[in-house]
Amino acid sequence: MQKTPAAEPPQIVKLPCSEYPAAGPVAEIAKNGYAPGPAYGQGTMTSYTEYLTINTKERYEIRDITAEVERVRAAAKLQEGFVLVSTMHITSSIFVNDHETGLYADIMAWLEELAPFGKDYKHHLTGEDNADAHLKRMILGHQVLVPVTGGKLDLGPWERIHYGEFDGRRNKRVLLKAFGF
Amino acid sequence: MQKTPAAEPPQIVKLPCSEYPAAGPVAEIAKNGYAPGPAYGQGTMTSYTEYLTINTKERYEIRDITAEVERVRAAAKLQEGFVLVSTMHITSSIFVNDHETGLYADIMAWLEELAPFGKDYKHHLTGEDNADAHLKRMILGHQVLVPVTGGKLDLGPWERIHYGEFDGRRNKRVLLKAFGF
Amino acid sequence: MQKTPAAEPPQIVKLPCSEYPAAGPVAEIAKNGYAPGPAYGQGTMTSYTEYLTINTKERYEIRDITAEVERVRAAAKLQEGFVLVSTMHITSSIFVNDHETGLYADIMAWLEELAPFGKDYKHHLTGEDNADAHLKRMILGHQVLVPVTGGKLDLGPWERIHYGEFDGRRNKRVLLKAFGF
């Protein structure tokens, strides 16, 4: 194991903040023991990637994966930047909404109305029966970019990151890519 | 106030450009007075975050926030990178479309058709009455990544960034995170 | 032509990987001939931007542009980061789904059901006839952030990046911005 060839420059963050969390600037953040500099954050970029495997019991299912996103942020030691959360399958979604099971049921019923299962889709000429899943996933979207500020997922009080499955009961992968410094 | 511990390396940008703005390469950009180098841009990453508070008069409202995005880009002194614009509430949207009030009305009428207010949603068993807002916001999406090129928001001629409110008349926050160099 | 004023630090990548591609960590990546360091990737950020022009024969058309995204990644010599693919027009989409022409037809028929052409839209008071395109594009979305890992577009086996046109037969531009190291 070699040493890292070049020492990293000090990484210094001082964030302006107009409204949140209501008490003016976010606390000054100094990594590596350096005192905060005169300006906002600057640093050398880090990239860290994991792949989460999800296998749902049901064909249609919604699952809160916020804890996984935070786990990846922490593993990457990210102070400032993003975690991209992106499903690698074209019959599932990543979306942000309330963690509330009544709403989960509403979302599924609503998607079934907008893009019903079992219609005479042309995609089914290939032997598949999941065209509805390909459509449903478009409405909720397939990826979310989670901001990281001051070493935390920078989410609103009710924002939770969800995986939406529309053709489950088999292994599906979700990419989690932390990017920043 | 301390000095920045390490001088920043010169940041140099020379962008290839095949089609736009029709006259070949984007102008060479030299920050810090350095002459342009032989290649595309490279630099030390900067992160800058603000939180915008929006309180709409109406329950349903669309508002153009493009000027706020440019203001944050300028405050961050961003030449290359992105501004992430992301609503922190789960009953509102961030989306890109035409700044045209007729279209605003069309969008609201259309969303009301696809996800009507006042239906017998399971989410309302919690005491809420805004399940339609949770659904409407999924169609338009909750975040946009605005590219920054050569010190400008890199938008097409009609692209404008909008905030869509579906449960307003109270304070809502929008995260604006500039990231790049 | 001047020389780059400052030598770049070595850029070193070693990626953790829990599940994919099934055989443990992604291969260690060493740029510039350096051996891999002890941790995940770090580097000086690069930005590279191109604009793709698309002129479809039909008013409504779906086109796979994955090869263009890979071309831009390669031109930027990106090992880790993202390519933002974002249409610069408000009557077209960028989305990820299966490359399957039956599904393309299903998507177009479905969008026509959800947001029909030729209705009495208020937007048409401006003289336009394409309000349906402004709505259709919202369902599929207007941008995708394509992750790059280990020098490759980090896509699932069926993920393909598509351009969706809903008011074509004229030049439209798509921004491709590679960002990372």
Side-chain angles (χ1 to χ4, degrees), chain C residues 27-39:
Chain C
E28 294 174 350
I29 299 152
K31 292 178 64 178
N32 304 331
Y34 285 84

Side-chain angles (χ1 to χ4, degrees), chain A residues 88-145:
Chain A
M88 303 182 82
H89 294 261
I90 50 185
T91 51
S92 54
S93 278
I94 302 292
F95 65 97
V96 168
N97 220 317
D98 202 359
H99 183 129
E100 201 275 293
T101 53
L103 185 66
Y104 294 176
D106 290 332
I107 289 172
M108 280 299 186
W110 177 63
L111 292 176
E112 181 59 23
E113 250 180 69
L114 294 184
F117 174 78
K119 275 182 64 176
D120 190 25
Y121 295 109
K122 289 204 168 61
H123 183 52
H124 295 172
L125 298 174
T126 64
E128 299 279 359
D129 70 345
N130 62 2
D132 71 306
H134 288 270
L135 302 180
K136 283 171 170 131
R137 83 81 145 242
M138 301 304 311
I139 291 180
L140 302 191
H142 86 284
Q143 61 183 194
V144 162
L145 196 59

Side-chain angles (χ1 to χ4, degrees), chain A residues 16 18 20 35 80 100 145 154, chain B residues 2 47 49 51 123 143 173:
Chain A
S18 52
Y20 175 76
E80 287 292 321
E100 201 275 293
L145 196 59
D154 202 347
Chain B
Q2 292 185 293
S47 177
T49 308
Y51 305 86
H123 182 52
Q143 62 182 194
R173 282 176 296 128

Side-chain angles (χ1 to χ4, degrees), chain B residues 4-181:
Chain B
T4 304
E8 284 179 64
Q11 295 176 359
I12 286 169
V13 177
K14 185 178 172 182
L15 293 169
C17 175
S18 50
E19 297 287 345
Y20 174 77
V26 164
E28 293 175 352
I29 298 152
K31 292 178 65 178
N32 304 332
Y34 285 84
Y40 41 82
Q42 290 185 316
T44 299
M45 190 150 57
T46 287
S47 177
Y48 176 99
T49 308
E50 285 199 30
Y51 305 86
L52 181 68
T53 297
I54 294 178
N55 192 324
T56 59
K57 275 190 197 164
E58 307 296 330
R59 179 166 180 144
Y60 299 91
E61 199 173 317
I62 289 174
R63 198 177 283 190
D64 185 331
I65 59 169
T66 310
E68 293 293 325
V69 182
E70 166 54 20
R71 188 181 56 70
V72 165
R73 184 214 62 75
K77 300 194 177 79
L78 213 67
Q79 293 289 311
E80 286 293 321
F82 306 97
V83 183
L84 175 66
V85 186
S86 194
T87 177
M88 303 181 82
H89 293 262
I90 50 186
T91 51
S92 54
S93 277
I94 302 291
F95 65 96
V96 168
N97 220 316
D98 203 358
H99 183 127
E100 201 275 292
T101 53
L103 184 66
Y104 294 176
D106 290 333
I107 289 172
M108 280 298 185
W110 177 63
L111 292 176
E112 181 59 24
E113 247 180 70
L114 294 184
F117 174 77
K119 275 182 63 175
D120 190 25
Y121 295 109
K122 288 203 171 63
H123 182 52
H124 295 173
L125 298 174
T126 65
E128 299 278 1
D129 70 346
N130 62 3
D132 71 305
H134 288 270
L135 302 181
K136 282 171 169 130
R137 84 82 146 245
M138 301 305 310
I139 292 179
L140 301 192
H142 86 284
Q143 62 182 194
V144 162
L145 197 58
V146 182
V148 173
T149 308
K152 291 188 179 157
L153 303 186
D154 202 347
L155 298 170
W158 303 103
E159 283 193 291
R160 302 287 294 181
I161 302 135
H162 290 90
Y163 176 77
E165 177 64 83
F166 312 114
D167 188 19
R169 296 179 297 199
R170 55 194 175 97
N171 278 0
K172 300 280 191 92
R173 282 176 296 128
V174 174
L175 175 143
L176 295 123
K177 194 173 191 83
F179 206 72
F181 58 89

Side-chain angles (χ1 to χ4, degrees), chain A residues 10-170:
Chain A
Q11 295 175 358
I12 286 169
V13 177
K14 184 178 172 183
L15 291 170
C17 175
S18 52
E19 297 288 345
Y20 175 76
V26 164
E28 294 175 351
I29 299 150
K31 292 178 65 179
N32 303 332
Y34 285 84
Y40 40 80
Q42 291 186 315
T44 300
M45 191 150 59
T46 288
S47 177
Y48 177 97
T49 308
E50 286 199 29
Y51 306 86
L52 181 68
T53 297
I54 295 178
N55 192 326
T56 59
K57 275 190 197 164
E58 307 297 330
R59 179 166 180 144
Y60 299 92
E61 198 172 319
I62 289 174
R63 198 177 284 192
D64 185 331
I65 59 168
T66 311
E68 293 293 326
V69 182
E70 165 55 21
R71 188 180 56 70
V72 165
R73 185 215 60 75
K77 301 193 178 78
L78 215 65
Q79 292 290 310
E80 287 292 321
F82 306 96
V83 183
L84 175 66
V85 187
S86 196
T87 175
M88 303 182 82
H89 294 261
I90 50 185
T91 51
S92 54
S93 278
I94 302 292
F95 65 97
V96 168
N97 220 317
D98 202 359
H99 183 129
E100 201 275 293
T101 53
L103 185 66
Y104 294 176
D106 290 332
I107 289 172
M108 280 299 186
W110 177 63
L111 292 176
E112 181 59 23
E113 250 180 69
L114 294 184
F117 174 78
K119 275 182 64 176
D120 190 25
Y121 295 109
K122 289 204 168 61
H123 183 52
H124 295 172
L125 298 174
T126 64
E128 299 279 359
D129 70 345
N130 62 2
D132 71 306
H134 288 270
L135 302 180
K136 283 171 170 131
R137 83 81 145 242
M138 301 304 311
I139 291 180
L140 302 191
H142 86 284
Q143 61 183 194
V144 162
L145 196 59
V146 183
V148 173
T149 308
K152 290 187 180 159
L153 303 186
D154 202 347
L155 297 170
W158 303 102
E159 285 193 291
R160 302 287 292 181
I161 302 135
H162 290 91
Y163 175 77
E165 177 63 83
F166 312 115
D167 187 20
R169 294 179 296 200
R170 56 196 174 96

